[in-house]
Amino acid sequence: MNLLCLADLHLGRRPSSRLPDDLAELLPSLGPAQAWRDAVDVAVRRGVDAVLLAGDVVEQEDDFYEAYRELRAGAERLTGAGIEVVAIAGNHDGEVLPRLVEQVPGVTLLGGGGRWERHPLQGRDGVAIDVVGWSMPGATYPRSPLEDGPSFARRRPTIGLLHGDRDGSGSAYAPFSSADLRATDVDAWLLGHVHAPDAPHGERPIVYLGSPVGTDPGEPGPHGPWLVRVDAAGRLELEHLPIAPLRWEEATVDVGGLADARAFEDAVVEALEALEARIARSAH
């Protein structure tokens, strides 16, 4: 079974105004809408069995008309290709996702009203899993969602979707602890809310998926959707696909001991070439 997984699309958000002027005309192809289209392209091209969304698919409810049009178009293309969409709501999109479920057959919203739900998925290869999820019931939620579950008896490989603040005691955004996640009988937790993606580790990974594109310099490094593979033995493999249409990076140039402007220019070029090589390696 193959799954494509995303969180924190924030459709309706614009890339930072700190972009160079010569990129201004490219803004429509550099933001979350393009990242969503690219993710849908990957899902259809690879023939995944389902797309999982871990919340905050839109930026704000008042971005409804533009954001919802993009979200619905992508969802319709996925379901038209036989790819199921399973989502939970974050703190930004409690109104948008229920409407999507009403209008696009093949889209499932898990955990509406702040209650845990389980949803079965069957892959084309015969592999079956469960997805458990919880949706934020409002813009804030100061309690841990794990106080109320999930209490499901594990019957096959299980992936959990949750949107909130990991190890964020006192947070207004569904705070929960890593220890409580590890205590559940769930094979992998895919999290939304934090925009920096985690590096998966361990047999039962707990990862923030991160946003599919960094929209400002505060979200540097590789961004993109995740491919999750589940084999017949129930083993999970996570692969980050760094295909974001926009990427922010920082290059450090040591100017100590440089004799003149030409030496400075050479040092800058060398630093940029080293950065480009590192980005190219991360993309393979």
Side-chain angles (χ1 to χ4, degrees), residues 83-125:
I83 299 170
E84 190 172 352
V85 179
V86 180
I88 60 169
N91 49 295
H92 281 257
D93 47 19
E95 299 297 326
V96 169
L97 283 175
R99 185 174 299 194
L100 184 70
V101 171
E102 292 175 1
Q103 298 185 353
V104 183
V107 178
T108 299
L109 176 64
L110 285 183
R115 67 186 187 280
W116 286 95
E117 286 185 310
R118 174 168 57 187
H119 181 74
L121 287 176
Q122 180 85 29
R124 296 178 180 88
D125 56 4

Side-chain angles (χ1 to χ4, degrees), residues 9-210:
L9 273 163
H10 289 278
L11 291 168
R13 179 178 288 185
R14 299 288 191 275
S16 170
S17 60
R18 295 172 63 181
L19 283 170
D21 292 340
D22 57 354
L23 292 181
E25 64 183 28
L26 299 178
L27 282 179
S29 63
L30 297 178
Q34 186 62 49
W36 172 232
R37 296 183 207 114
D38 291 345
V40 171
D41 286 344
V42 169
V44 172
R45 186 170 66 251
R46 294 192 178 221
V48 303
D49 297 292
V51 168
L52 308 184
L53 301 174
D56 280 4
V57 295
V58 300
E59 170 68 355
Q60 300 291 348
E61 298 296 346
D62 45 0
D63 295 317
F64 174 79
Y65 293 104
E66 176 184 0
Y68 184 75
R69 183 175 68 250
E70 290 285 357
L71 179 63
R72 178 173 174 174
E76 288 177 336
R77 187 176 173 210
L78 291 168
T79 57
I83 299 170
E84 190 172 352
V85 179
V86 180
I88 60 169
N91 49 295
H92 281 257
D93 47 19
E95 299 297 326
V96 169
L97 283 175
R99 185 174 299 194
L100 184 70
V101 171
E102 292 175 1
Q103 298 185 353
V104 183
V107 178
T108 299
L109 176 64
L110 285 183
R115 67 186 187 280
W116 286 95
E117 286 185 310
R118 174 168 57 187
H119 181 74
L121 287 176
Q122 180 85 29
R124 296 178 180 88
D125 56 4
V127 173
I129 70 167
D130 283 335
V131 180
V132 297
W134 178 92
S135 288
M136 284 191 67
T140 61
Y141 191 84
R143 298 170 47 227
S144 169
L146 297 169
E147 293 178 7
D148 304 320
S151 57
F152 307 113
R154 185 181 186 278
R155 57 189 184 184
R156 52 192 166 203
T158 301
I159 291 175
L161 296 179
L162 183 57
H163 192 99
D165 198 349
R166 181 181 62 193
D167 300 322
S169 177
S171 170
Y173 301 106
F176 52 85
S177 72
S178 297
D180 286 343
L181 290 179
R182 287 191 294 267
T184 63
D185 199 7
V186 171
D187 296 282
W189 281 102
L190 307 181
L191 309 176
H193 188 59
V194 171
H195 291 188
D198 284 332
H201 60 275
E203 294 182 359
R204 299 172 63 205
I206 298 171
V207 295
Y208 272 114
L209 298 173

